[in-house]
Amino acid sequence: MSRSQTNLGWDVLLDVSGPGADQLARALRGAIRDGVLRKGATLPPSRRLAGDLQCSRWVVTQAYAQLVAEGYLEARAGSATRVHCWADEVWRPVPPKPAPVPPRHDLAPGLPDLRAFPRKRWADAVRDALSAAPHTDLGLPTAGGHPRLRTVLAEFLHRTRGAVTNDVLVSSGVCHGVTLVGRALHAEGITRIAVEEPGWTKVWRAAEEAGLEIVPVPVDPGGLRVSDIPAGVRAVVVTPAHQFPSGVVLSPERRAALLSWARDVDGVILEDDYDADFRYDRKPVGTVQGMDPRRVFLFGSVSKTLSPALGIGWYVVPPQWTERVPKAAPSVVNQLALATFIEQGSYHRYLRAARLRYRARRDALLESLDPLTVSGAAAGLHLVLPLDTDASEVVDHAAAQGLKLVSMDAYRTRPGDPALVLGYGNLADSSVTDAVAVLKDSIGRSGSGS
């Protein structure tokens, strides 16, 4: 058909899968969207099109009327029906990209053992929560979280982490909580925030999304070097229980120095309770928040224990900030399920079994890595492997053989000593030996080795 907008659209071949008005409307709509029928094109009279399609005239008039109502066609008394409005350029919906093929072996940090997710117990918790929930709980989510989960989390954090709080706000994860708190800080004139270098870059981006400027501060074997926080900075985000990615624990002296710094500058501490549930040499250290609840925001989630797919996290806010911090409203069903999961003791039993599983996997990994030297093995779900060869080359060689690795530089603002961050949370037990064999081969191919 000619591209002139005044030409007739009578000779268009329509793909009509049935005789109904809906099928005809769908075919005409598709022809307009695909540019086959251009803006201004004249459609055949209903009687003629009905004859061509061997259907009733009613089918055609109903299809035309539907597209007129949607704005695709215009019909004026005494005039032909014309294509009224559609984009000048042909637009075709782009299908979503297929999910990436998972690596054969996964030594990247950041995920728990997804194979061990307690599917049945979680499904039971969802069923029990929905069975007991009043119909009012199925309405719009309450900003700040469902009162039941907030109460359960407050008791849980007090009992297991030494937190001091009567209330907990619910978010969709740690990064979400940091963004919400960051917005409140920015509104109060705190526009810069110190972050650990190296550190968890997703938290950095969350702070930047809130409008904060990140200020990297070095980490050494004692944790964050508090004395290096620049003048004028009044907020800092830290991972005291198990620093990511170095694996160090914030020393008692640095804890005291950090709290003293916050009081001196009238500042705040954003404590990410990262990996606090997984300690293998002794009981986990308590929160910094418990030492000064008026200066410390506490963040946590089930993303590193159960699964990030649940989208549940929490943040404890100092009382004077409660009204100033934005509130979130995650899925009520998952909130009630987590409350049930904790109340029934399922979460405690899962964590206890997970510690044993991760410790055994860590031991197997350390044995396979011998004689390579690693650090950060006392807690968490990752190790640090120093290299004396280019880490990016090792990562590339390993990827070609189906092993996913991450360089330490991925968590720095500038390149540093070459090292790998080896996460074993989502590594299958049966893959440990093969994964390490590929790792050692990649190191050997990239240089003189570790």
Side-chain angles (χ1 to χ4, degrees):
M1 186 182 74
S2 169
R3 291 189 177 274
S4 171
Q5 294 183 347
T6 61
N7 277 355
L8 301 178
W10 293 14
D11 297 327
V12 172
L13 182 63
L14 296 176
D15 181 13
V16 182
S17 58
D22 289 344
Q23 287 83 353
L24 178 57
R26 188 180 303 116
L28 287 169
R29 191 184 296 113
I32 295 171
R33 287 177 172 176
D34 291 343
V36 177
L37 288 174
R38 307 285 290 184
K39 183 177 180 179
T42 301
L43 297 186
S46 58
R47 189 182 305 279
R48 172 168 175 173
L49 184 57
D52 290 344
L53 297 177
Q54 297 184 352
C55 64
S56 72
R57 184 183 178 192
W58 180 89
V59 168
V60 179
T61 58
Q62 289 298 305
Y64 281 5
Q66 178 65 33
L67 295 182
V68 168
E70 294 178 6
Y72 287 95
L73 302 179
E74 63 175 346
R76 298 177 183 175
S79 178
T81 301
R82 298 176 184 275
V83 176
H84 178 226
C85 182
W86 183 244
D88 292 335
E89 296 181 3
V90 177
W91 175 84
R92 301 183 188 278
V94 179
K97 294 181 179 179
V101 178
R104 191 155 47 97
H105 308 299
D106 189 358
L107 273 175
L111 285 177
D113 193 341
L114 302 180
R115 300 168 186 80
F117 182 81
R119 296 171 185 258
K120 182 180 185 306
R121 280 182 286 168
W122 183 259
D124 290 343
V126 172
R127 184 192 62 243
D128 293 346
L130 287 176
S131 298
H135 71 276
T136 52
D137 280 347
L138 302 180
L140 295 175
T142 301
H146 194 283
R148 180 180 163 207
L149 178 59
R150 292 168 67 173
T151 300
V152 169
L153 285 174
E155 190 279 330
F156 173 79
L157 293 173
H158 176 71
R159 173 170 46 86
T160 64
R161 302 295 301 124
V164 178
T165 180
N166 292 321
D167 192 17
V168 177
L169 298 174
V170 183
S171 66
S172 61
V174 169
C175 292
H176 183 210
V178 169
T179 297
L180 295 174
V181 170
R183 290 172 183 165
L185 298 180
H186 191 277
E188 294 297 322
I190 299 177
T191 58
R192 305 171 71 204
I193 185 168
V195 299
E196 297 168 321
E197 166 79 278
W200 189 235
T201 50
K202 289 185 178 180
V203 171
W204 299 357
R205 289 196 293 269
E208 289 176 326
E209 286 177 8
L212 302 179
E213 175 191 353
I214 64 167
V215 181
V217 175
V219 170
D220 64 20
L224 181 79
R225 287 163 52 174
V226 179
S227 60
D228 287 355
I229 299 177
V233 175
R234 295 175 50 211
V236 59
V237 57
V238 294
T239 50
H242 187 233
Q243 201 276 332
F244 182 88
S246 71
V248 302
V249 176
L250 190 66
S251 69
E253 295 77 16
R254 295 282 175 85
R255 284 179 165 234
L258 186 61
L259 292 169
S260 177
W261 166 86
R263 289 190 290 269
D264 291 343
V265 302
D266 190 24
V268 293
I269 301 165
L270 281 63
E271 179 180 8
D272 178 0
D273 207 22
Y274 187 87
D275 271 354
D277 296 296
F278 302 119
R279 184 94 201 171
Y280 311 120
D281 57 344
R282 55 179 169 82
K283 292 185 65 174
V285 294
T287 63
V288 173
Q289 188 271 352
M291 302 174 70
D292 193 345
R294 295 188 61 82
R295 293 283 180 189
V296 184
F297 295 82
L298 178 65
F299 301 85
S301 76
V302 297
S303 296
K304 301 298 187 294
T305 53
L306 288 171
S307 166
L310 300 180
I312 295 290
W314 51 85
Y315 53 124
V316 178
V317 177
Q320 72 272 24
W321 286 88
T322 300
E323 299 303 321
R324 291 181 276 179
V325 172
K327 311 299 189 296
S331 161
V332 173
V333 174
N334 279 350
Q335 288 188 63
L336 295 175
L338 180 59
T340 301
F341 199 69
I342 295 173
E343 289 172 335
Q344 293 177 342
S346 297
Y347 192 47
H348 172 73
R349 290 190 292 272
Y350 174 81
L351 289 178
R352 184 172 56 189
R355 289 188 197 101
L356 296 175
R357 181 171 61 253
Y358 290 137
R359 181 168 186 162
R361 186 177 304 160
R362 180 207 62 171
D363 292 346
L365 185 60
L366 291 174
E367 182 179 352
S368 296
L369 286 169
D370 186 66
L372 303 180
T373 301
V374 297
S375 61
L381 302 177
H382 71 274
L383 308 170
V384 176
L385 174 63
L387 299 173
D388 60 9
T389 187
D390 189 338
S392 62
E393 290 187 8
V394 177
V395 171
D396 291 342
H397 279 297
Q401 300 179 68
L403 172 63
K404 185 176 182 179
L405 297 174
V406 180
S407 167
M408 178 70 83
D409 282 346
Y411 308 109
R412 293 172 171 143
T413 57
R414 60 181 64 87
D417 294 336
L420 298 174
V421 183
L422 306 179
Y424 54 88
N426 198 35
L427 178 67
D429 291 325
S430 59
S431 296
V432 171
T433 302
D434 291 342
V436 172
V438 174
L439 171 61
K440 291 182 175 179
D441 178 70
S442 299
I443 294 172
R445 289 173 179 267
S446 302
S448 57
S450 172

